[in-house]
Short mmCIF file of all heavy atoms in Angstrom, two decimals:
data_model
loop_
_atom_site.label_atom_id
_atom_site.label_comp_id
_atom_site.label_asym_id
_atom_site.label_seq_id
_atom_site.Cartn_x
_atom_site.Cartn_y
_atom_site.Cartn_z
N GLY A 1 110.75 153.97 -94.35
CA GLY A 1 110.20 152.72 -94.86
C GLY A 1 108.76 152.48 -94.50
O GLY A 1 108.16 151.57 -95.04
N GLY A 2 108.23 153.29 -93.62
CA GLY A 2 106.86 153.18 -93.19
C GLY A 2 105.89 153.81 -94.17
O GLY A 2 106.28 154.34 -95.21
N SER A 3 104.60 153.79 -93.79
CA SER A 3 103.56 154.28 -94.66
C SER A 3 102.60 155.21 -93.92
O SER A 3 102.43 155.08 -92.72
CB SER A 3 102.75 153.11 -95.28
OG SER A 3 103.55 152.29 -96.08
N LEU A 4 102.00 156.12 -94.66
CA LEU A 4 100.96 156.99 -94.15
C LEU A 4 99.96 157.22 -95.26
O LEU A 4 100.34 157.15 -96.46
CB LEU A 4 101.53 158.32 -93.69
CG LEU A 4 102.29 158.39 -92.38
CD1 LEU A 4 102.93 159.78 -92.21
CD2 LEU A 4 101.33 158.09 -91.19
N ARG A 5 98.73 157.50 -94.89
CA ARG A 5 97.75 157.88 -95.91
C ARG A 5 97.15 159.21 -95.47
O ARG A 5 96.55 159.32 -94.41
CB ARG A 5 96.65 156.85 -96.03
CG ARG A 5 95.69 157.17 -97.18
CD ARG A 5 94.60 156.14 -97.41
NE ARG A 5 93.56 156.18 -96.39
CZ ARG A 5 92.39 155.69 -96.57
NH1 ARG A 5 92.03 155.06 -97.69
NH2 ARG A 5 91.48 155.76 -95.57
N LEU A 6 97.33 160.21 -96.28
CA LEU A 6 96.79 161.50 -96.07
C LEU A 6 95.39 161.61 -96.68
O LEU A 6 95.14 161.02 -97.76
CB LEU A 6 97.69 162.57 -96.66
CG LEU A 6 99.15 162.59 -96.22
CD1 LEU A 6 99.90 163.75 -96.85
CD2 LEU A 6 99.27 162.59 -94.71
N SER A 7 94.56 162.38 -96.05
CA SER A 7 93.22 162.59 -96.57
C SER A 7 92.96 164.11 -96.75
O SER A 7 93.47 164.91 -95.89
CB SER A 7 92.13 162.02 -95.62
OG SER A 7 92.26 160.63 -95.52
N CYS A 8 92.28 164.47 -97.74
CA CYS A 8 91.88 165.86 -97.95
C CYS A 8 90.37 165.90 -98.14
O CYS A 8 89.85 165.44 -99.16
CB CYS A 8 92.59 166.44 -99.20
SG CYS A 8 92.03 168.07 -99.70
N ALA A 9 89.69 166.41 -97.16
CA ALA A 9 88.23 166.56 -97.21
C ALA A 9 87.91 167.90 -97.83
O ALA A 9 88.30 168.93 -97.34
CB ALA A 9 87.64 166.48 -95.80
N ALA A 10 87.22 167.87 -98.92
CA ALA A 10 86.90 169.10 -99.71
C ALA A 10 85.42 169.38 -99.66
O ALA A 10 84.59 168.50 -99.69
CB ALA A 10 87.34 168.90 -101.16
N SER A 11 85.12 170.64 -99.55
CA SER A 11 83.74 171.07 -99.61
C SER A 11 83.16 170.87 -101.02
O SER A 11 81.98 170.64 -101.16
CB SER A 11 83.60 172.55 -99.18
OG SER A 11 84.35 173.38 -100.04
N HIS A 12 84.00 170.98 -102.00
CA HIS A 12 83.69 170.75 -103.40
C HIS A 12 84.83 170.04 -104.07
O HIS A 12 86.02 170.45 -103.83
CB HIS A 12 83.39 172.04 -104.12
CG HIS A 12 82.30 172.89 -103.50
ND1 HIS A 12 82.49 173.68 -102.41
CD2 HIS A 12 80.97 173.03 -103.86
CE1 HIS A 12 81.38 174.28 -102.09
NE2 HIS A 12 80.44 173.93 -102.95
N SER A 13 84.54 169.08 -104.90
CA SER A 13 85.60 168.38 -105.63
C SER A 13 85.73 169.04 -106.98
O SER A 13 84.77 169.05 -107.79
CB SER A 13 85.24 166.90 -105.77
OG SER A 13 86.26 166.21 -106.44
N LEU A 14 86.89 169.58 -107.24
CA LEU A 14 87.14 170.28 -108.50
C LEU A 14 87.88 169.39 -109.49
O LEU A 14 88.29 168.30 -109.14
CB LEU A 14 87.89 171.58 -108.24
CG LEU A 14 87.23 172.56 -107.31
CD1 LEU A 14 88.04 173.83 -107.22
CD2 LEU A 14 85.80 172.84 -107.72
N ALA A 15 88.06 169.93 -110.71
CA ALA A 15 88.67 169.13 -111.76
C ALA A 15 90.14 168.78 -111.46
O ALA A 15 90.60 167.72 -111.89
CB ALA A 15 88.56 169.87 -113.08
N TYR A 16 90.80 169.64 -110.73
CA TYR A 16 92.17 169.43 -110.39
C TYR A 16 92.34 169.37 -108.90
O TYR A 16 92.08 170.32 -108.20
CB TYR A 16 93.07 170.55 -110.96
CG TYR A 16 93.07 170.64 -112.45
CD1 TYR A 16 92.05 171.32 -113.12
CD2 TYR A 16 94.08 170.04 -113.20
CE1 TYR A 16 92.06 171.42 -114.51
CE2 TYR A 16 94.06 170.11 -114.59
CZ TYR A 16 93.05 170.81 -115.23
OH TYR A 16 93.04 170.88 -116.62
N MET A 17 92.78 168.23 -108.38
CA MET A 17 93.05 168.04 -106.98
C MET A 17 94.48 167.59 -106.88
O MET A 17 94.88 166.63 -107.58
CB MET A 17 92.10 167.03 -106.38
CG MET A 17 90.62 167.37 -106.56
SD MET A 17 90.10 168.86 -105.66
CE MET A 17 90.28 168.33 -103.95
N ALA A 18 95.24 168.16 -105.97
CA ALA A 18 96.66 167.88 -105.94
C ALA A 18 97.20 167.96 -104.54
O ALA A 18 96.55 168.51 -103.62
CB ALA A 18 97.43 168.84 -106.85
N TRP A 19 98.36 167.36 -104.38
CA TRP A 19 99.12 167.42 -103.13
C TRP A 19 100.43 168.10 -103.35
O TRP A 19 101.14 167.80 -104.34
CB TRP A 19 99.35 166.04 -102.54
CG TRP A 19 98.12 165.39 -101.98
CD1 TRP A 19 97.29 164.52 -102.63
CD2 TRP A 19 97.64 165.54 -100.67
NE1 TRP A 19 96.29 164.12 -101.78
CE2 TRP A 19 96.46 164.72 -100.58
CE3 TRP A 19 98.02 166.27 -99.55
CZ2 TRP A 19 95.67 164.65 -99.41
CZ3 TRP A 19 97.25 166.20 -98.39
CH2 TRP A 19 96.12 165.39 -98.30
N PHE A 20 100.78 168.97 -102.46
CA PHE A 20 102.07 169.66 -102.48
C PHE A 20 102.72 169.50 -101.11
O PHE A 20 102.08 169.12 -100.13
CB PHE A 20 101.90 171.17 -102.78
CG PHE A 20 101.35 171.41 -104.15
CD1 PHE A 20 99.98 171.38 -104.40
CD2 PHE A 20 102.17 171.70 -105.23
CE1 PHE A 20 99.46 171.61 -105.62
CE2 PHE A 20 101.69 171.94 -106.49
CZ PHE A 20 100.32 171.90 -106.70
N ARG A 21 103.99 169.79 -101.03
CA ARG A 21 104.69 169.71 -99.74
C ARG A 21 105.74 170.81 -99.71
O ARG A 21 106.24 171.27 -100.70
CB ARG A 21 105.32 168.36 -99.56
CG ARG A 21 106.47 168.02 -100.52
CD ARG A 21 106.90 166.55 -100.34
NE ARG A 21 108.03 166.20 -101.19
CZ ARG A 21 108.52 164.95 -101.30
NH1 ARG A 21 107.98 163.98 -100.57
NH2 ARG A 21 109.55 164.76 -102.10
N GLN A 22 106.05 171.21 -98.47
CA GLN A 22 107.08 172.21 -98.25
C GLN A 22 107.82 171.90 -96.96
O GLN A 22 107.23 171.79 -95.92
CB GLN A 22 106.43 173.60 -98.22
CG GLN A 22 107.46 174.71 -98.13
CD GLN A 22 106.79 176.08 -98.35
OE1 GLN A 22 105.61 176.23 -98.16
NE2 GLN A 22 107.58 177.01 -98.82
N ALA A 23 109.11 171.77 -97.12
CA ALA A 23 109.95 171.57 -95.99
C ALA A 23 110.56 172.93 -95.58
O ALA A 23 110.69 173.81 -96.40
CB ALA A 23 111.08 170.57 -96.28
N PRO A 24 110.95 173.06 -94.31
CA PRO A 24 111.55 174.34 -93.84
C PRO A 24 112.71 174.74 -94.73
O PRO A 24 113.62 173.90 -95.02
CB PRO A 24 111.99 174.02 -92.43
CG PRO A 24 111.06 172.95 -91.97
CD PRO A 24 110.81 172.13 -93.19
N GLY A 25 112.72 175.96 -95.17
CA GLY A 25 113.83 176.50 -95.97
C GLY A 25 113.77 176.11 -97.42
O GLY A 25 114.70 176.40 -98.19
N LYS A 26 112.75 175.35 -97.84
CA LYS A 26 112.62 174.92 -99.21
C LYS A 26 111.39 175.49 -99.88
O LYS A 26 110.44 175.88 -99.20
CB LYS A 26 112.60 173.40 -99.29
CG LYS A 26 113.89 172.72 -98.82
CD LYS A 26 113.81 171.22 -99.05
CE LYS A 26 115.10 170.55 -98.59
NZ LYS A 26 115.04 169.06 -98.80
N GLU A 27 111.37 175.48 -101.20
CA GLU A 27 110.22 175.90 -101.93
C GLU A 27 109.14 174.86 -101.91
O GLU A 27 109.42 173.66 -101.77
CB GLU A 27 110.60 176.22 -103.38
CG GLU A 27 111.62 177.34 -103.57
CD GLU A 27 111.01 178.69 -103.15
OE1 GLU A 27 109.82 178.90 -103.44
OE2 GLU A 27 111.74 179.49 -102.55
N ARG A 28 107.90 175.29 -102.05
CA ARG A 28 106.79 174.34 -102.13
C ARG A 28 106.88 173.59 -103.45
O ARG A 28 107.16 174.19 -104.51
CB ARG A 28 105.47 175.06 -102.05
CG ARG A 28 104.25 174.18 -101.96
CD ARG A 28 103.00 174.92 -101.53
NE ARG A 28 103.17 175.55 -100.22
CZ ARG A 28 102.16 176.11 -99.55
NH1 ARG A 28 100.95 176.18 -100.07
NH2 ARG A 28 102.40 176.64 -98.37
N GLU A 29 106.74 172.26 -103.38
CA GLU A 29 106.85 171.46 -104.57
C GLU A 29 105.59 170.59 -104.76
O GLU A 29 105.01 170.13 -103.80
CB GLU A 29 108.10 170.61 -104.53
CG GLU A 29 108.12 169.60 -103.38
CD GLU A 29 109.31 168.67 -103.43
OE1 GLU A 29 109.97 168.58 -104.50
OE2 GLU A 29 109.63 168.06 -102.38
N GLY A 30 105.32 170.29 -106.01
CA GLY A 30 104.21 169.41 -106.31
C GLY A 30 104.58 167.97 -106.09
O GLY A 30 105.68 167.57 -106.34
N VAL A 31 103.63 167.24 -105.53
CA VAL A 31 103.83 165.83 -105.24
C VAL A 31 103.01 164.92 -106.13
O VAL A 31 103.56 163.98 -106.76
CB VAL A 31 103.47 165.54 -103.76
CG1 VAL A 31 103.59 164.04 -103.42
CG2 VAL A 31 104.34 166.34 -102.82
N ALA A 32 101.72 165.19 -106.20
CA ALA A 32 100.85 164.34 -107.01
C ALA A 32 99.59 165.14 -107.33
O ALA A 32 99.17 166.03 -106.58
CB ALA A 32 100.46 163.05 -106.26
N ALA A 33 99.00 164.83 -108.49
CA ALA A 33 97.76 165.48 -108.91
C ALA A 33 96.85 164.46 -109.55
O ALA A 33 97.29 163.55 -110.24
CB ALA A 33 98.08 166.60 -109.87
N ALA A 34 95.57 164.66 -109.33
CA ALA A 34 94.49 163.84 -109.94
C ALA A 34 93.64 164.76 -110.77
O ALA A 34 93.11 165.72 -110.28
CB ALA A 34 93.69 163.12 -108.90
N ILE A 35 93.54 164.45 -112.04
CA ILE A 35 92.82 165.31 -113.01
C ILE A 35 91.66 164.56 -113.58
O ILE A 35 91.74 163.38 -113.94
CB ILE A 35 93.77 165.73 -114.13
CG1 ILE A 35 95.13 166.16 -113.59
CG2 ILE A 35 93.13 166.81 -114.99
CD1 ILE A 35 95.07 167.29 -112.61
N ARG A 36 90.52 165.27 -113.74
CA ARG A 36 89.36 164.68 -114.38
C ARG A 36 88.85 165.55 -115.54
O ARG A 36 87.69 165.59 -115.84
CB ARG A 36 88.25 164.45 -113.35
CG ARG A 36 87.72 165.70 -112.62
CD ARG A 36 86.67 165.30 -111.61
NE ARG A 36 86.06 166.46 -110.98
CZ ARG A 36 85.14 166.39 -110.03
NH1 ARG A 36 84.77 165.19 -109.55
NH2 ARG A 36 84.66 167.49 -109.52
N VAL A 37 89.77 166.25 -116.15
CA VAL A 37 89.50 167.02 -117.38
C VAL A 37 89.90 166.11 -118.56
O VAL A 37 91.07 165.69 -118.61
CB VAL A 37 90.26 168.35 -117.42
CG1 VAL A 37 90.06 169.03 -118.74
CG2 VAL A 37 89.77 169.23 -116.27
N GLY A 38 88.96 165.90 -119.45
CA GLY A 38 89.29 164.97 -120.58
C GLY A 38 89.45 163.58 -120.03
O GLY A 38 88.69 163.11 -119.25
N ASN A 39 90.52 162.97 -120.41
CA ASN A 39 90.85 161.66 -119.85
C ASN A 39 91.43 161.83 -118.48
O ASN A 39 92.49 162.46 -118.29
CB ASN A 39 91.89 160.96 -120.76
CG ASN A 39 91.30 160.59 -122.12
OD1 ASN A 39 90.12 160.32 -122.26
ND2 ASN A 39 92.16 160.60 -123.13
N SER A 40 90.74 161.28 -117.49
CA SER A 40 91.26 161.36 -116.13
C SER A 40 92.62 160.76 -116.05
O SER A 40 92.93 159.72 -116.67
CB SER A 40 90.29 160.61 -115.18
OG SER A 40 89.02 161.20 -115.20
N ASN A 41 93.46 161.41 -115.24
CA ASN A 41 94.84 160.98 -115.17
C ASN A 41 95.42 161.39 -113.84
O ASN A 41 94.88 162.25 -113.14
CB ASN A 41 95.64 161.54 -116.32
CG ASN A 41 96.65 160.55 -116.86
OD1 ASN A 41 97.18 159.74 -116.13
ND2 ASN A 41 96.99 160.68 -118.14
#
């Protein structure tokens, strides 16, 4: 029920920036992505 804010400091900001997560014994999965190609989304 709590909150956290993660930060990703990048040397260069690219068109696709995303967050993934991986728990022990599980595959890495996509969480969220920010896109600035065409219409940002």
